[in-house]
Amino acid sequence: MLVENINLDFIRQAASAIEEIACRTPLKKSINLSQRLQKNVYLKMETMQDTGAFKLRGAANVIMHLSEKEKASGVVTASTGNHGRAVAYVANALGIKAIVCMSSLVPVNKIAAIEQLGAQVVIYGDNQDLATEKALQIAQQQQMRFISPFDDPYVIAGQGTIALEILQQRPEIDTIITQLSGGGLASGIAIAAKALRPDIKIIGVSVDHGAAMYESIKAGKIVNVLEQASIADALPGPIPADNRYTFDICRRLIDDIVLVSEQQIKDAMCYSLKQEKLVLEGAGAATIAMLLQRSPVKIGDNIAVICSGDNVDMKQLLNICDSL
């Protein structure tokens, strides 16, 4: 598929395809953040998806569009956690075989959540590149459909349905702050939002080390990054050199990228729990971390913040809060 075919109509089609699997999540006003920033700040509660993260949208859209032959053969993917859980969830619901390849850096609680849904988990290598290579190898050997965590038109369109909902719920939104890793979420949101509101600002947030999309956009080409352990384990890591969609879309449509530190993310996780009564893993709290640090990047007066990923070990989260 050509990148220009991933458009507003394609995303609207995704919304119809996934409506029985992914729920329409609330856009909740944060009184605390609104007062702090003297702006209207709304939290897009993607933690309320059945799998606790926005990834359910993209995975559902891919699997709902599989042929009968592809469904019979099964699906395989590589994941840092939430995408794998989403694929496992949809595959389980439709009676499709699923294999999820993960690196040794993935937290145990995320592995257990995927296995609970009946998918086979394969741990391979110490980075996402190696896990992806293994998944592609399995796909070829077993004639299974490989589902990219981000660089797939149907994944991008599924994630873009979030922007449709945001602008239906609050048409006045002028800024969307979203997590930025491989770019599937940011790409889909940017395409849909800017088609509906060309003047809307899209801000991507990532970690301050191993942020592949940030480094690649800065260099004007896809570059290798060293994948390091992070409290936001879903954000750092490489982008494959054969990327077809997300790098181009993010380079064109994302207005600013903000990097946050490990400590800022931990602070945001604790803030979210104590002030917003919201359980967020590291990657999910990165967007709130940007607002708490009062980044110099200019934002509008009506802001939607993606809050996604509640798959955090509660003991770890409570320990983080106790140590601050």
Side-chain angles (χ1 to χ4, degrees):
M1 180 180 291
L2 298 175
V3 68
E4 53 263 34
N5 292 332
I6 310 173
N7 54 29
L8 182 59
D9 285 342
F10 190 60
I11 293 171
R12 284 174 168 158
Q13 291 168 17
S16 296
I18 68 175
E19 63 183 355
E20 298 298 322
I21 297 176
C23 70
R24 179 185 174 94
T25 56
L27 189 63
K28 172 189 173 186
K29 186 166 187 178
S30 168
I31 296 173
N32 193 289
L33 287 172
S34 295
Q35 290 177 347
R36 284 187 183 218
L37 275 69
Q38 291 298 292
K39 297 177 183 291
N40 297 310
V41 180
Y42 300 91
L43 308 180
K44 184 59 170 164
M45 305 288 285
E46 285 298 295
T47 54
M48 294 184 70
Q49 296 293 352
D50 284 354
T51 58
F54 73 88
K55 291 285 191 177
L56 184 61
R57 296 173 183 263
N61 196 38
V62 174
I63 295 174
M64 294 301 288
H65 283 90
L66 294 180
S67 67
E68 291 305 315
K69 181 179 179 181
E70 288 173 321
K71 289 177 183 177
S73 299
V75 295
V76 59
T77 192
S79 174
T80 56
N82 289 328
H83 172 68
R85 188 177 184 186
V87 168
Y89 178 90
V90 182
N92 183 60
L94 299 179
I96 297 170
K97 178 183 177 181
I99 299 175
V100 181
C101 297
M102 314 178 85
S103 82
S104 59
L105 295 178
V106 175
V108 173
N109 65 296
K110 290 190 175 184
I111 296 171
I114 292 170
E115 291 177 330
Q116 184 180 31
L117 291 168
Q120 177 187 346
V121 174
V122 175
I123 304 299
Y124 187 84
D126 59 1
N127 61 65
Q128 184 70 356
D129 263 354
L130 292 174
T132 300
E133 287 177 14
K134 185 65 173 177
L136 290 169
Q137 182 185 61
I138 291 172
Q140 184 176 32
Q141 291 174 342
Q142 300 190 31
Q143 296 297 299
M144 301 177 79
R145 169 67 149 83
F146 173 74
I147 301 178
S148 169
F150 52 86
D151 198 39
D152 181 296
Y154 291 96
V155 169
I156 293 168
Q159 321 307 26
T161 61
I162 294 173
L164 299 183
E165 292 178 14
I166 288 173
L167 291 175
Q168 288 167 356
Q169 292 163 319
R170 289 283 173 179
E172 71 273 19
I173 292 296
D174 53 30
T175 306
I176 298 178
I177 302 175
T178 180
Q179 292 79 4
L180 179 62
S181 181
L185 174 63
S187 292
I189 284 176
I191 290 170
K194 286 184 179 286
L196 293 167
R197 285 276 306 275
D199 60 336
I200 201 167
K201 188 165 189 179
I202 308 298
I203 299 173
V205 183
S206 195
V207 287
D208 62 3
H209 56 280
M213 188 62 74
Y214 169 78
E215 296 294 345
S216 296
I217 290 175
K218 187 169 68 171
K221 61 180 181 180
I222 294 175
V223 298
N224 287 324
V225 295
L226 177 64
E227 185 174 355
Q228 303 175 48
S230 171
I231 188 68
D233 53 88
L235 292 182
I239 299 173
D242 62 353
N243 182 279
R244 296 180 61 193
Y245 303 105
T246 59
F247 172 64
D248 175 61
I249 296 168
C250 289
R251 179 171 56 175
R252 289 187 289 108
L253 298 183
I254 292 181
D255 296 287
D256 282 299
I257 300 175
V258 175
L259 303 183
V260 290
S261 70
E262 293 288 304
Q263 189 58 55
Q264 288 166 339
I265 292 171
K266 290 178 181 179
D267 291 343
M269 293 170 72
C270 190
Y271 163 86
S272 299
L273 182 63
K274 291 183 175 180
Q275 299 297 328
E276 304 290 348
K277 306 299 184 286
L278 181 58
V279 173
L280 287 174
E281 60 192 79
T287 47
I288 289 179
M290 177 207 153
L291 292 179
L292 292 177
Q293 69 158 306
R294 297 180 182 271
S295 165
V297 168
K298 186 177 180 181
I299 55 178
D301 294 319
N302 299 289
I303 304 153
V305 183
I306 310 301
C307 295
S308 178
D310 66 357
N311 299 313
V312 59
D313 182 272
M314 285 305 298
K315 184 177 180 180
Q316 179 192 38
L317 178 57
L318 293 173
N319 285 340
I320 288 171
C321 291
D322 286 343
S323 67
L324 296 179

